[in-house]
Amino acid sequence: MTAHIEAAYGERISDAYDDLYGDFTPSKAQIDSLVEYACEGTVVEIGSGTGRVALPLAQRGVRVIGVDSSPSMAEVLRGKARGLPIEAVCADAAEYRAPEPATLVFAAFNTFFLLAEESVQERFVARAAEMLVPGGRLVLETFVPHPGRLPDGPNPGVLPEQSDVVVKRWVPDGVVLFAARNTPEDSRFEYHEIVLREGEPVRLHPGRMRYMWPKEIDALAAEHGLRLEDRWADWDRSSYQAESRKHVSVYTR
């Protein structure tokens, strides 16, 4: 996704983001793994949003640089991060370079796919490799693009053959729908989150992704000196299988 499109999504949803996703929290296994990989060094999170992962990491004593292309998202994180070792930065993920070497760079919840242009994804991986200390790690969490009906959830794992609409979640006095269109020949996934609430205007939160199969991500990482160290089906380190709907991949420099 080009930086201005990614930022536009964040600007439009920042005031509603915690309301829509506040009950979707990272697991203890996810935070434990990221703390382990931090190795008491500096961590860079790409797509930090309002701090869903950055905040619990910082509460565990990890120094986090949270990078988001949306000024409003970064501002919300700054407000929440007072007294914690978090630096909220508004920057393009494909161009950002940390002021100091990092032991860990990570992008969770499909953020890597939200960098929805091939050239942008490649530049991000290149910058991540440059930021990492020797032995440092890049961790990516994404869905696996199996064809089929679109289900609910933040890591869907399957895509509609062409288009689909599902109920994503219920909210007070309303519902959130997820309307998606898949263009497999271009690995494109476009969507609208549609918030319908009684007495309020309809809100549309559009986004798009460029998805990749795990082996394609492996090849891209290898081009920039990153070797696949581990791959799991989830943060609990369960075994990744061909039918897994998501993956957590750990690359080391």
Side-chain angles (χ1 to χ4, degrees), residues 98-122:
E100 59 196 79
T103 52
L104 171 65
V105 177
F106 75 93
F109 307 121
N110 304 320
T111 296
F112 178 64
F113 288 167
L114 289 168
L115 307 175
E117 301 288 346
E118 182 177 4
S119 61
V120 176
Q121 292 170 333
E122 181 173 1

Side-chain angles (χ1 to χ4, degrees), residues 44 46 65 67 89 91-100 123 126-128 130-131:
V44 176
I46 299 300
I65 300 176
V67 180
V89 176
D92 180 353
E95 305 299 335
Y96 178 74
R97 298 188 185 190
E100 59 196 79
R123 291 203 307 276
R127 293 291 180 268
E130 292 170 1
M131 283 190 280

